[in-house]
Amino acid sequence: PMIEDVELVIIFGTDHYSQRSVITLTQQNYATPFGVLENDEALIQLLAREIGEEKVFAEELHHANEHSIELALIWLHYLLQVQPSVRGFKLLPVLCGDLIHADEQDLALVERVCSLLRDAMQDRKTLVIAAADLSHVGPAFGGEPVDLIRRALVKEADEHLLKLIQEGKAEEFLQALRNINNKHNVCGVTPIYFT
């Protein structure tokens, strides 16, 4: 579908502060400089009921300070301002915790969430966004300075991940990062995996 037709936007963002939650929902609407984007309350309540409120809202306060979803929503909301043909849509903002060290119970939860979202998307034109990025290397991220050789290796690793993403190989994407214990600090693992 074209952006003009979208009825539901599901946005997965990295929860940089998560201690235990694989997914974190919020009942609060997001605001950008262009105004407020309305959440899909019915979908949020469905997920909370099916998965458990204690699981999906345990770290809800992280939505207040997390930048990953906010940044992408500003661009999306801007599109609404410059595309007058775009009608309103409902939003499902989902912060995502770590999957690199996830156990079978966490992976089962991810599969359950995906199943519920697939059902919710059946009758609505949906845009799914991974508000995520790839490698974070160098002193600012707790590593050594990056020389040209290291930069080339990181670029090659990111390009391999992008290829897996483009091919829809979620399991291979996750396993590739687990194999190297995410040594390049790809903080968008879970949003990309969900998407």
Side-chain angles (χ1 to χ4, degrees), residues 9 12 19 29 34 36 39-40 52 54 60 62 79 84-85 91 99-100 105 130 132 134 145 162 177 182 185:
V9 173
F12 297 104
Q19 297 298 310
N29 294 319
F34 304 106
V36 175
N39 284 347
D40 187 323
E54 67 285 351
E60 183 179 12
H62 292 186
L79 284 177
S85 59
L91 179 68
L99 270 189
I100 293 293
Q105 186 177 1
L134 296 175
L162 287 170
L177 290 163
N182 197 14
N185 299 312

Side-chain angles (χ1 to χ4, degrees), residues 6 46 52 54 82 93 100-101 106 112 130 158 175 178 189:
V6 171
L46 171 74
E54 67 285 351
V82 298
I100 293 293
H101 303 99
D106 290 332
R112 179 71 177 132
D158 277 355
Q175 193 56 50
R178 284 181 162 175
V189 174

